Amino acid sequence: MTDAARTMTIDIWSDVMCPWCLVGWGNLSQALEQLDGEIEADIRWHAFELNPDMAETGEDRTAHIARKYGRSIEESKGVQGQMKQAADIAKVSLDYDGDEDPAPPAMMWNTFAAHRLLVWTLENKGAAKQTELKLALFKAHFNQRRRIGERDVLLDIAADVGLTREEALAALNDDATAARVRAEERQAWDANITGVPAMVIANKFMVPGAQPPEAYVTALRRVAEKTAG
């Protein structure tokens, strides 16, 4: 980073079940690469549950999309194909790359516990470690198809990014951390955030949805200009 580069906060409301959130991250990363030396980002992730009522047993992803959005199974598969194409362009992957053959089913899980870990990590380990955990959760869900609604799986993922299992377990059991997750979700509601990803730049300017890299470059430069001085 040069002396002229500006550091700007980017608060991202997202869910680890959300493929468009991963696509948005990939495109934002490309934008920040273009802005290297000009704008640096302090990224913080915030809780948004796409399916807060999801049962602990989870739901098959194809069936879930069909049920939730009133699609046929074939239409649901088509939507997932479009998501994969967007991910490829964003230079991220939604493909299974694990060792099991056949691959485990693609599922949707309850993510409240995952958000507890993310909130705790930001507060206690900082933004960089939180992003590392967020990306590990994306990978566990989309590429490894792990059961990330389960506590033991979350403890393993936390350990993979350098948290102790004791720390992660404390976060999952902490009522104050759970309350902060709910507070972040209420904050999204108050800000009229009804879909994710939603990125708020410099605490003022919201960019909704997974935008192409050029849109993020333009938005960040405009905010930098408006907040200069």
Side-chain angles (χ1 to χ4, degrees):
M1 185 173 74
T2 69
D3 292 339
R6 290 193 57 190
T7 299
M8 305 182 68
T9 60
I10 304 178
D11 291 283
I12 308 176
W13 271 263
S14 83
D15 196 353
V16 295
M17 292 288 108
C18 171
W20 295 113
C21 293
L22 181 57
V23 170
W25 165 255
N27 286 337
L28 176 63
S29 298
Q30 292 183 52
L32 292 172
E33 288 179 6
Q34 294 180 43
L35 294 168
D36 184 39
E38 181 182 347
I39 294 173
E40 299 289 334
D42 179 17
I43 295 171
R44 303 175 300 200
W45 300 86
H46 301 286
F48 190 102
E49 293 178 88
L50 287 173
N51 301 288
D53 299 323
M54 178 65 67
E56 291 185 4
T57 52
E59 184 178 10
D60 176 84
R61 184 171 66 195
T62 300
H64 171 80
I65 292 172
R67 176 185 61 78
K68 185 172 182 178
Y69 300 104
R71 308 284 186 107
S72 68
I73 292 298
E74 288 306 313
E75 287 171 334
S76 175
K77 292 178 180 178
V79 168
Q80 292 176 76
Q82 294 170 7
M83 293 174 181
K84 182 183 182 305
Q85 291 177 355
D88 292 342
I89 293 171
K91 300 180 181 179
V92 294
S93 174
L94 298 174
D95 295 332
Y96 176 70
D97 64 7
D99 298 327
E100 294 185 51
D101 186 17
M107 299 285 290
M108 303 293 287
W109 305 104
N110 188 294
T111 56
F112 184 74
H115 287 302
R116 292 175 78 162
L117 273 183
L118 288 162
V119 165
W120 184 92
T121 300
L122 176 62
E123 293 182 344
N124 293 276
K125 301 296 182 177
K129 181 59 69 174
Q130 188 201 32
T131 292
E132 186 180 357
L133 174 61
K134 182 75 174 189
L135 298 182
L137 288 165
F138 276 144
K139 182 175 179 63
H141 176 58
F142 291 112
N143 308 128
Q144 299 169 340
R145 297 188 181 175
R146 297 167 73 179
R147 302 171 67 90
I148 65 170
E150 295 185 359
R151 175 166 294 203
D152 286 345
V153 174
L154 291 173
L155 294 178
D156 289 341
I157 296 168
D160 288 342
V161 301
L163 303 179
T164 69
R165 294 179 72 87
E166 292 75 17
E167 288 174 326
L169 184 60
L172 294 176
N173 288 330
D174 182 41
D175 290 340
T177 299
R180 285 190 285 276
V181 172
R182 294 302 186 207
E184 289 189 353
E185 293 177 333
R186 287 193 298 272
Q187 188 178 358
W189 176 264
D190 291 342
N192 199 33
I193 294 172
T194 58
V196 286
M199 303 187 187
V200 179
I201 304 170
N203 298 312
K204 295 180 179 180
F205 305 93
M206 186 172 74
V207 181
Q211 303 295 331
E214 295 75 17
Y216 292 126
V217 169
T218 299
L220 286 163
R221 282 178 171 156
R222 286 179 177 174
V223 174
E225 291 173 1
K226 289 182 179 181
T227 58

